[in-house]
């Protein structure tokens, strides 16, 4: 028996089937990658069924559908066209059994991609097609290539389903596995062995290629960030000659209006505010809805009801069934983990959001110079330190010239000293930004330093909104006081119009402000509590030290009023002082000391 003809037919069928399985498997994988709906299990089951069902069952189903008595077979017969027991049937059978391998491998590769990378591409103006070609495909290409070679190997060895639906017609449907079967039936074991050897070589070659694609090490070996890199980073940040000249502060010309509601699994988002401030800080505990708000504005999450507008331009309106796609909103979102594209170098990351033009290189150079990263243009994100990644992410976001800039905790991954330097640089970069910046942060000092107004969120609701001084100096509720860093809080009741009793502190306090009827709590910030030398002034009480925390520029003391503490957690007030000399003098004096709670700085709160 001549094996060349079955071999050629097998290769032709396998190549055609692989092409079909590649297209359908990739489309199915892209559709199912981020779908978590109720039909996910059913979809996966249907896609994987040809892999787990007996080949004879798969062949029978195809024969039933495509045969002359089947629904499609009857249609084809009326058109005087036949698929069953032809080369086309062999291709369809091989495609069906190869599809699950392509689907599963491509799905696994796509699901390994950080979804924030694709979301970042959309906020930089990339359409879905561009997201696929520039982000998804490059990052999943190893898995997709592996799935393709595995699908080819599976199609090459298909026997059972092909025999049922295409038969064993020499020169027409007799593939290599069929020829091997016929040789064994005829007792020609030499021919069967030679055919088996060819099949084994071809299949193992495909598996080896798949293994290499899937597990081959990257040609770009990551460079570890060494001390010299950190030194150069500190020099670039702190060097006066490299810092950009700050521009005159520009106020936004449009108002950001947000009125949205969205139900999540664990909380409900219900937010309404309008702002045209330069930098709006968003404070709130973890899970309060801060990041969800940014994602709704950027178009990555869709509110159930409501409206979002920037000036006269409506971005989302549930009543009008209007929802501008993320890539058309002109809103820059800087993610918490920066979401730099790992397969692109620094320059290409910054250029991603730029339209192709002759000035692209010039704009990239300008943005990198502004953040002191020109020397790192050819490095990849894995070769950068945390501070360097943060600066590249900011440059990339601003290069796309957004109308709104959304910063989701941009300093959370940095150490304290580096975040102080970079926040200073951020102030310089935002001086020339003409839109509104929304900054999500947990750090109250950062919020006070960088922002003009504050929006305080608790469990999806706005509990305070206004100028930062008003929020910090005159919080109205217990939650706002806590979120803005007030450490000393006590239940309270009114004694008179200017006198209250702090229940948890066991003392009566005089107030400057008139005590409101809604009073339930009293608070005092740590830096408004002082150590006094005598007990003659109002709101001065004897105290005993419980513990002390010393830093180079600040001393934090925990003290108990009226009596010595019984254990390390037995204290009433926390106070802070920048005077180390005063602390040294106090240590020489035996307790009790005296603590003074400044009346004009008492926070009168309700719940």
């Amino acid at each position: 028996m001549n094996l060349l003809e079955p071999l050629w037919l097998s290769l032709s069928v396998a190549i055609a089937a692989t092409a079909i399985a590649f297209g359908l498997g990739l489309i199915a994988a892209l559709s199912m990658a981020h779908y978590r709906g109720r039909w996910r299990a059913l979809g996966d089951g249907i896609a994987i069924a040809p892999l787990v069902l007996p080949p004879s069952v798969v062949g029978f189903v195809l024969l039933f559908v495509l045969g002359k008595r089947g629904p499609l077979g009857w249609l084809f017969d009326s058109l005087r066209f036949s698929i069953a027991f032809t080369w086309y049937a062999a291709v369809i059978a091989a495609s069906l059994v190869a599809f699950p391998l392509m689907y599963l491998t491509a799905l696994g590769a796509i699901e390994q991609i950080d979804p924030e990378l694709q979301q970042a591409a959309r906020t930089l103006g990339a359409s879905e097609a561009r997201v696929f070609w520039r982000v998804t495909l490059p990052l999943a290409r190893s898995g997709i290539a592996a799935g393709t070679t595995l699908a080819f190997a599976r199609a090459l060895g298909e026997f059972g389903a092909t025999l049922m639906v295409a038969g064993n017609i020499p020169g027409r449907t007799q593939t290599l596995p069929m020829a091997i079967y016929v040789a064994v039936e005829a007792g020609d074991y030499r021919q069967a062995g030679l055919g088996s050897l060819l099949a084994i070589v071809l299949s193992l070659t495909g598996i080896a290629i798949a293994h290499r694609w899937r597990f081959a090490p990257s040609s770009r070996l990551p460079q570890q960030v060494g001390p010299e890199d950190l030194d150069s980073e500190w020099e670039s940040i702190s060097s006066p000659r490299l810092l950009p000249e700050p521009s005159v502060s520009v106020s936004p010309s449009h108002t950001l209006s947000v009125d949205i509601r969205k139900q999540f699994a664990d909380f409900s988002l219900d937010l309404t505010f309008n702002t045209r401030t330069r930098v709006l800080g968003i404070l709130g505990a973890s899970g309060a809805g801060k990041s969800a708000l940014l994602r709704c504005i950027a178009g990555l999450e869709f509110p159930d009801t409501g409206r979002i507008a920037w000036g006269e331009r409506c971005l989302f309106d549930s009543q009008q069934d209007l929802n501008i796609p993320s890539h058309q909103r002109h809103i820059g979102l800087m993610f918490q983990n920066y979401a730099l594209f790992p397969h692109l170098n620094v320059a290409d990351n910054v250029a991603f959001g730029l339209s192709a033009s002759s000035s692209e290189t010039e704009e990239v150079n300008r943005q990198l110079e502004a953040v002191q990263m020109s020397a790192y243009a050819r490095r990849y994100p894995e070769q950068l330190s945390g501070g360097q990644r943060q600066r590249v992410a900011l440059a990339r976001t601003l290069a796309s010239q957004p109308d709104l800039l959304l910063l989701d905790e941009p300093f959370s991954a940095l150490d304290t000293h580096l975040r102080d330097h970079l926040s200073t640089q951020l102030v310089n970069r935002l001086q020339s930004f003409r839109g509104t910046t929304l900054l999500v942060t947990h750090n109250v000092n950062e919020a006070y330093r960088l922002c003009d107004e504050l929006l305080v969120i608790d469990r999806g609701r706005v509990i305070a909104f206004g100028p930062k001084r008003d929020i910090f100096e005159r919080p109205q509720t217990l939650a706002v006081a806590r979120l803005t860093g007030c450490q000393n809080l006590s239940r309270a009741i009114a004694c008179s119009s200017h006198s209250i009793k702090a229940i948890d502190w066991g003392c009566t306090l005089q107030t400057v402000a008139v005590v409101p009827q809604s009073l339930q709590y009293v608070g005092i910030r740590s830096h408004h509590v002082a150590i006094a030398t005598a007990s003659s002034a109002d709101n001065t009480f004897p105290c005993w030290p419980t513990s002390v925390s010393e830093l180079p520029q600040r001393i934090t003391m925990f003290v108990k009023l009226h009596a010595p503490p019984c254990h390390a957690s037995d204290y009433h007030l926390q106070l802070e002082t920048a005077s180390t000399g005063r602390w040294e003098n106090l240590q020489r004096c035996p307790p009790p000391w005296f603590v003074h709670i400044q009346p004009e700085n008492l926070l009168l709160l309700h719940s």
Side-chain angles (χ1 to χ4, degrees):
M1 180 188 297
N2 184 7
L3 289 176
L4 291 180
E5 189 172 319
L7 176 61
W8 171 249
L9 185 60
S10 286
L11 289 174
S12 301
V13 168
I15 291 172
T18 301
I20 296 172
F22 175 85
L24 296 179
L26 190 55
I27 292 172
L30 287 169
S31 302
M32 297 295 286
H34 303 298
Y35 176 67
R36 295 294 181 270
R38 58 190 299 184
W39 304 109
R40 173 63 187 262
L42 178 61
D44 281 339
I46 294 174
I48 299 170
L51 186 65
V52 297
L53 288 174
S56 57
V57 174
V58 176
F60 175 78
V61 171
L62 286 175
L63 184 61
F64 175 77
V65 174
L66 301 175
K68 289 186 177 182
R69 297 182 180 181
L72 293 182
W74 177 84
L75 176 63
F76 291 142
D77 188 56
S78 66
L79 299 173
R80 296 183 179 180
F81 178 75
S82 178
I83 290 183
F85 302 105
T86 66
W87 182 82
Y88 305 109
V91 171
I92 292 173
S95 301
L96 192 61
V97 296
F99 170 83
L101 288 174
M102 183 68 218
Y103 168 74
L104 288 174
T105 311
L107 180 64
I110 294 170
E111 287 184 331
Q112 290 298 313
I113 300 173
D114 184 351
E116 286 192 351
L117 296 175
Q118 297 159 323
Q119 294 166 1
R122 295 184 186 103
T123 63
L124 293 169
S127 64
E128 290 302 317
R130 190 161 183 253
V131 170
F132 172 74
W133 288 109
R134 292 292 307 277
V135 179
T136 305
L137 185 59
L139 294 177
R141 63 184 177 185
S142 296
I144 292 173
T148 304
T149 54
L150 289 174
F152 174 79
R154 181 66 184 89
L156 187 68
E158 169 49 33
F159 173 79
T162 304
L163 179 62
M164 290 285 292
V165 75
N168 182 25
I169 306 173
R172 291 180 58 188
T173 63
Q174 189 181 77
T175 58
L176 186 59
M178 298 292 187
I180 295 170
Y181 175 75
V182 171
V184 172
E185 286 287 302
D188 190 353
Y189 290 99
R190 179 179 177 277
Q191 196 78 351
L194 182 60
S196 298
L197 181 61
L198 284 173
I200 291 171
V201 169
L202 290 172
S203 298
L204 289 180
T205 301
I207 293 173
I209 294 173
H211 188 277
R212 181 172 181 179
W213 271 102
R214 191 172 180 84
F215 298 107
S218 173
S219 58
R220 291 187 288 103
L221 293 177
Q223 299 178 4
Q224 297 297 323
V225 180
E228 65 278 2
D229 295 297
L230 296 177
D231 291 342
S232 63
E233 177 173 356
W234 281 103
E235 291 170 4
S236 66
I237 294 174
S238 58
S239 174
R241 63 186 178 86
L242 288 177
L243 283 173
E245 290 293 329
S247 305
V248 178
S249 179
V250 180
S251 296
S253 56
H254 298 297
T255 299
L256 172 64
S257 301
V258 176
D259 181 10
I260 57 173
R261 281 148 296 283
K262 182 174 176 63
Q263 183 64 51
F264 291 91
D266 51 350
F267 79 103
S268 176
L269 195 68
D270 188 351
L271 300 173
T272 301
F273 66 92
N274 299 291
T275 183
R276 60 182 302 164
T277 190
R278 192 175 60 85
V279 183
L280 173 66
I282 303 176
L283 284 175
S286 296
K290 306 184 298 299
S291 296
L293 168 62
L294 296 194
R295 293 174 65 84
C296 287
I297 296 173
L300 302 178
E301 295 276 1
F302 308 131
D304 298 329
T305 60
R307 187 175 187 273
I308 302 173
W310 169 245
E312 299 298 321
R313 185 167 179 253
C314 185
L315 304 177
F316 173 85
D317 193 320
S318 59
Q319 291 187 348
Q320 300 180 27
D321 197 23
L322 174 66
N323 186 17
I324 302 298
S326 178
H327 68 276
Q328 295 178 2
R329 293 198 179 191
H330 306 295
I331 294 177
L333 172 59
M334 183 171 158
F335 292 82
Q336 189 172 346
N337 66 352
Y338 311 135
L340 296 178
F341 306 123
H343 61 294
L344 300 180
N345 62 30
V346 167
D348 290 339
N349 262 280
V350 176
F352 189 92
L354 300 177
S355 58
S357 67
S358 57
S359 61
E360 179 180 305
T361 302
E362 180 181 338
E363 177 63 19
V364 170
N365 291 336
R366 188 178 74 84
Q367 292 292 341
L368 290 179
E369 183 178 356
V371 294
Q372 293 86 54
M373 288 297 293
S374 298
Y376 302 88
R378 298 302 162 198
R379 289 197 181 187
Y380 288 83
E382 61 194 7
Q383 299 169 297
L384 303 177
S385 67
Q388 291 167 341
R389 291 175 188 169
Q390 190 255 21
R391 288 185 279 161
V392 173
L394 179 61
R396 183 183 67 177
T397 305
L398 291 175
S400 62
Q401 299 182 345
D403 296 330
L404 287 168
L405 179 61
L406 313 179
L407 306 177
D408 192 359
E409 300 197 50
F411 309 110
S412 62
L414 307 177
D415 63 74
T416 303
H417 300 293
L418 187 57
R419 71 190 295 161
D420 288 342
H421 282 275
L422 291 177
S423 63
T424 299
Q425 189 180 64
L426 179 62
V427 171
N428 291 340
R429 293 290 291 127
L430 295 182
Q431 290 295 323
S432 58
F433 182 60
R434 294 180 176 274
T436 290
T437 299
L438 272 62
L439 172 67
V440 167
T441 179
H442 277 103
N443 190 304
V444 293
N445 294 328
E446 232 164 50
Y448 198 89
R449 180 183 182 186
L450 298 175
C451 305
D452 305 309
E453 288 185 339
L454 290 179
L455 179 74
V456 187
I457 301 176
D458 184 37
R459 288 173 289 184
R461 267 64 171 180
V462 176
I463 58 172
F465 175 55
K468 62 182 179 183
R469 287 186 178 276
D470 292 345
I471 300 297
F472 273 87
E473 294 177 7
R474 290 181 293 276
Q476 301 297 309
T477 68
L478 177 67
V480 175
R482 280 176 173 162
L483 290 170
T484 54
C486 183
Q487 300 292 333
N488 300 313
L489 297 163
S490 170
R491 293 169 295 162
I493 57 175
C495 297
S496 67
S497 61
H498 289 276
S499 175
I500 63 174
K501 181 177 182 180
I503 298 172
D504 297 321
W505 300 341
C507 59
T508 300
L509 300 170
Q510 305 303 312
T511 68
V512 173
V514 176
V515 178
Q517 292 183 350
S518 59
L519 175 76
Q520 291 175 290
Y521 294 89
V522 63
I524 186 75
R525 299 193 186 275
S526 301
H527 59 280
H528 288 150
V529 182
I531 295 294
T533 56
S535 61
S536 56
D538 288 340
N539 297 353
T540 303
F541 309 98
C543 69
W544 280 258
T546 298
S547 61
V548 177
S549 174
E550 296 188 57
L551 293 175
Q553 290 85 27
R554 186 177 73 249
I555 303 294
T556 301
M557 287 182 279
F558 300 86
V559 299
K560 182 180 180 181
L561 305 180
H562 318 302
C566 299
H567 48 80
S569 299
D570 186 16
Y571 68 90
H572 291 123
L573 297 173
Q574 172 183 325
L575 60 96
E576 294 182 356
T577 178
S579 174
T580 55
R582 190 174 185 85
W583 165 238
E584 291 173 354
N585 292 333
L586 275 174
Q587 286 182 301
R588 300 189 185 100
C589 301
W593 303 334
F594 291 94
V595 68
H596 177 57
I597 302 174
Q598 300 177 16
E600 64 274 16
N601 292 314
L602 284 172
L603 307 178
L604 307 178
L605 311 167
H606 60 84
S607 61

